[in-house]
C-alpha cells in the first residue's frame, strides 16, 4: 500500500509585487540500502578521477574524486542493487518567492519611491527528505533537524538574492546568501555535505562596448563520512573575482579574468592552507556562416601548506599542483545544417615537475 499526495500553488498579488510558485509532495514507498562501486569507462566519458593516495595500486572507495579535467574523468559511480529494503516516507517542497517593488511604485515621482523601485528580491527553497516509515509521515516540509536513526536521505537548498538596478544596462549589483546540504545513508554509514556562501556581485559598464564584473564571496565547505574519516574537512574560504570584457566588433570579444582565493581547513582535520591566484584571458570570434571560435589561457599559482597527495589537497587545489600551473583551451562550434551541430575541443594543462597533458575531442549533436 502506498500513498502519494501533491499540491501545486501559484500566487500573484499586489499588481505583481508578490509572485509565489510552490510545489509540495509527500508519500510512502520502499528504499534500498545504497552500496556503490566505481567502474572505469572511456576517458572524458566519466565523472570521477582516481587518485592512488596510499600508492598501493588498489582502487579503494575513498580514493575517487569528482574530476576537474576530462582526461581524468575515467570512472562512473554505479549503485549496486541489494536485497535490503526499508519502508520509507518522503516529503518534498520546492518554492520560489519574487518581490518586485517597481510594479507598485510605477509612476511615482518622489525620490524615495524611485530609489526603492530599483530593488528586487528572489528567494528559492528546495528540501527533499526520506525517513524510515516506522516514524510516521513528516508533514512539516521545513523540518530538517532529524535524528540519524530515523533518516535515510536529505538534501536542502536555499538561496536569497537582493538585486539593485537589475534591468539597468550600465550599473547594477546583487547580494546573495545560499546554503546547501545533503545527507545520504549508505551501507557503511552516512555521508554528509554542507556548503554556505555569502557574496556580492557588481557590474559596471563604464566604457562603451565594455563590461566589468566584480564578485566577492565568503563561505564554508564541510564534508563528513562515518567510514572514511580521513576525508573529513571543514574549509573556510574568501574569494575575489574581477573580470573585464571588451567587444571590439560584433564578432570579436576579449575578456581578462583574475581570481584570488584563500582557503583554510580546520586544524582538527589537518589544518591545510592555500592561497590560489590566477590570471587569464579569453577570446571569442564569430565566423560568419562558419561557426564560433573560442580560446582561453590561464596562469594559476597555488601556495599550499599541508600534505599534497590527499583528498583534501585535491579539493583545495582544484586538481592542480602546488606552485605554478598553466591551463589553456581551444574550441570550435559550427552548425552544419538544420539540427546538426559539430564541436571541436582541445584542453591542456602544465604543472611543476609534471608533463603537459593534452586532451582533444570531437562531438556531433543532432536535434530532432
Amino acid at each position: 500500500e502506498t500513498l502519494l499526495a501533491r499540491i501545486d500553488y501559484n500566487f500573484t498579488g499586489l499588481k505583481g509585487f508578490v509572485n509565489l510558485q510552490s510545489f509540495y509532495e509527500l508519500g510512502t514507498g520502499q528504499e534500498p540500502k545504497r552500496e556503490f562501486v566505481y567502474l572505469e569507462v572511456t576517458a572524458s566519458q566519466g565523472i570521477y578521477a582516481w587518485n592512488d593516495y596510499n600508492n598501493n595500486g588498489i582502487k579503494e572507495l575513498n580514493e575517487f574524486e569528482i574530476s576537474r579535467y576530462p582526461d581524468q574523468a575515467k570512472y562512473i559511480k554505479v549503485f549496486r542493487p541489494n536485497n535490503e529494503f526499508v519502508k520509507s516516507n518522503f516529503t518534498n517542497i520546492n518554492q520560489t518567492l519574487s518581490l518586485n517593488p517597481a510594479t507598485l511604485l510605477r509612476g511615482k515621482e518622489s525620490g524615495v519611491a524611485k530609489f526603492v523601485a530599483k530593488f528586487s528580491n528572489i528567494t528559492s527553497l528546495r528540501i527533499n527528505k526520506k525517513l524510515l516509515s516506522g516514524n510516521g509521515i513528516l508533514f512539516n516540509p521545513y523540518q530538517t533537524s532529524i535524528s540519524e536513526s530515523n533518516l535515510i536521505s536529505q538534501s536542502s537548498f536555499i538561496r536569497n538574492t537582493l538585486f539593485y538596478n537589475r534591468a539597468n544596462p550600465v550599473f547594477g549589483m546583487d547580494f546573495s546568501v545560499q546554503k546547501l546540504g545533503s545527507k545520504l545513508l549508505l551501507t557503511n554509514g552516512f555521508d554528509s555535505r554542507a556548503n554556505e556562501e555569502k557574496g556580492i556581485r557588481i557590474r559596471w559598464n563604464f566604457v562603451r562596448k565594455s563590461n566589468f564584473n566584480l564578485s566577492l564571496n565568503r563561505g564554508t565547505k564541510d564534508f563528513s563520512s562515518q567510514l572514511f574519516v580521513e576525508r573529513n574537512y571543514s574549509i573556510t574560504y574568501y574569494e575575489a573575482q574581477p573580470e573585464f570584457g571588451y567587444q571590439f566588433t560584433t564578432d570579436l570579444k576579449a575578456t581578462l579574468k583574475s581570481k584570488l582565493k584563500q582557503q583554510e581547513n580546520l586544524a582538527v582535520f589537518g589544518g591545510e592552507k592555500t592561497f590560489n591566484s590566477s590570471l587569464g584571458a579569453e577570446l571569442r570570434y564569430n565566423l560568419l556562416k562558419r561557426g564560433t571560435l573560442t580560446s582561453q589561457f590561464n596562469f594559476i599559482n597555488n601556495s599550499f601548506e599541508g600534505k599534497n597527495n590527499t583528498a583534501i589537497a585535491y579539493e583545495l587545489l582544484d586538481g592542480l599542483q602546488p606552485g605554478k600551473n598553466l591551463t589553456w583551451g581551444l574550441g570550435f562550434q559550427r552548425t552544419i545544417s538544420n539540427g546538426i551541430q559539430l564541436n571541436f575541443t582541445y584542453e591542456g594543462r602544465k604543472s611543476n615537475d609534471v608533463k603537459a597533458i593534452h586532451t582533444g575531442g570531437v562531438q556531433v549533436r543532432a536535434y530532432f
Side-chain angles (χ1 to χ4, degrees):
E1 295 179 352
T2 60
L3 168 70
L4 179 64
R6 171 175 170 172
I7 297 174
D8 287 285
Y9 179 69
N10 298 321
F11 171 78
T12 302
L14 299 175
K15 300 179 181 179
F17 168 66
V18 179
N19 185 280
L20 173 66
Q21 298 178 349
S22 185
F23 163 78
Y24 173 54
E25 182 183 45
L26 57 84
T28 64
Q30 288 193 108
E31 186 77 9
K33 287 189 176 180
R34 295 179 179 268
E35 183 179 12
F36 62 88
V37 294
Y38 291 95
L39 299 181
E40 188 170 359
V41 296
T42 304
S44 79
Q45 298 300 307
I47 299 175
Y48 295 87
W50 174 50
N51 299 306
D52 192 5
Y53 293 128
N54 53 15
N55 297 314
N56 64 357
I58 301 174
K59 298 173 183 176
E60 303 174 36
L61 291 179
N62 62 335
E63 295 181 334
F64 290 87
E65 314 289 346
I66 295 178
S67 176
R68 266 60 168 188
Y69 301 99
D71 62 285
Q72 297 178 342
K74 298 179 181 179
Y75 299 87
I76 58 174
K77 180 190 285 188
V78 177
F79 285 97
R80 192 159 54 189
N82 59 67
N83 295 323
E84 295 185 64
F85 285 84
V86 292
K87 292 184 178 180
S88 64
N89 298 328
F90 65 87
T91 307
N92 303 326
I93 188 166
N94 196 334
Q95 291 182 313
T96 302
L97 175 65
S98 303
L99 303 177
N100 189 10
T103 59
L104 281 178
L105 302 175
R106 188 176 291 115
K108 302 291 184 180
E109 298 297 330
S110 70
V112 174
K114 290 182 178 180
F115 177 72
V116 174
K118 294 180 179 181
F119 288 90
S120 61
N121 192 86
I122 297 178
T123 303
S124 300
L125 168 72
R126 184 177 67 250
I127 301 175
N128 303 320
K129 298 190 297 290
K130 289 184 179 180
L131 308 175
L132 295 175
S133 63
N135 301 281
I137 298 177
L138 185 63
F139 290 95
N140 182 3
Y142 304 104
Q143 183 177 342
T144 56
S145 56
I146 303 168
S147 65
E148 290 187 352
S149 60
N150 301 329
L151 185 66
I152 297 175
S153 67
Q154 177 176 285
S155 65
S156 61
F157 168 80
I158 183 169
R159 179 183 177 91
N160 185 83
T161 305
L162 176 65
F163 297 94
Y164 175 75
N165 259 0
R166 186 179 185 185
N168 190 295
V170 178
F171 178 81
M173 58 190 301
D174 57 74
F175 176 74
S176 298
V177 178
Q178 70 175 18
K179 188 173 183 180
L180 312 100
S182 65
K183 201 168 189 178
L184 181 63
L185 176 62
L186 304 171
T187 55
N188 50 26
F190 277 99
D191 277 3
S192 305
R193 293 183 182 273
N195 295 339
E196 187 172 350
E197 182 178 271
K198 299 177 182 177
I200 185 170
R201 186 175 68 91
I202 301 171
R203 56 175 180 83
W204 185 21
N205 302 334
F206 55 88
V207 178
R208 186 173 175 268
K209 295 185 177 181
S210 72
N211 64 284
F212 173 77
N213 295 311
L214 174 64
S215 297
L216 303 172
N217 302 305
R218 178 193 181 280
T220 58
K221 299 183 291 185
D222 299 282
F223 176 76
S224 175
S225 173
Q226 290 184 334
L227 180 63
F228 303 120
V229 294
E230 71 277 3
R231 296 176 61 86
N232 295 351
Y233 60 75
S234 180
I235 299 170
T236 301
Y237 64 89
Y238 300 86
E239 184 179 59
Q241 296 185 69
E243 176 183 315
F244 178 76
Y246 190 82
Q247 190 84 37
F248 291 93
T249 66
T250 55
D251 297 323
L252 179 63
K253 182 179 180 180
T255 304
L256 293 176
K257 294 183 177 182
S258 180
K259 182 177 179 181
L260 303 173
K261 189 172 185 179
Q262 180 178 338
Q263 303 177 88
E264 183 174 356
N265 190 23
L266 278 182
V268 68
F269 297 125
E272 294 87 351
K273 298 179 182 179
T274 182
F275 182 78
N276 313 93
S277 58
S278 68
L279 180 64
E282 292 184 2
L283 194 66
R284 183 182 181 91
Y285 184 60
N286 295 320
L287 302 170
L288 183 63
K289 296 182 179 181
R290 294 184 180 180
T292 302
L293 179 67
T294 58
S295 63
Q296 60 165 316
F297 181 85
N298 299 284
F299 170 76
I300 304 165
N301 186 47
N302 293 325
S303 176
F304 179 73
E305 297 179 19
K307 294 181 180 179
N308 185 17
N309 193 30
T310 65
I312 298 173
Y314 190 87
E315 175 72 25
L316 292 172
L317 297 172
D318 284 332
L320 296 174
Q321 297 296 319
K324 297 178 176 60
N325 300 266
L326 298 174
T327 66
W328 58 89
L330 288 171
F332 180 71
Q333 182 182 93
R334 179 177 181 179
T335 300
I336 301 175
S337 62
N338 292 335
I340 300 179
Q341 189 179 85
L342 180 64
N343 294 310
F344 293 92
T345 59
Y346 161 70
E347 293 184 9
R349 69 181 186 277
K350 176 72 173 69
S351 301
N352 284 341
D353 303 322
V354 178
K355 292 182 179 181
I357 297 175
H358 306 274
T359 306
V362 179
Q363 184 181 73
V364 178
R365 293 181 179 180
Y367 299 93
F368 299 97

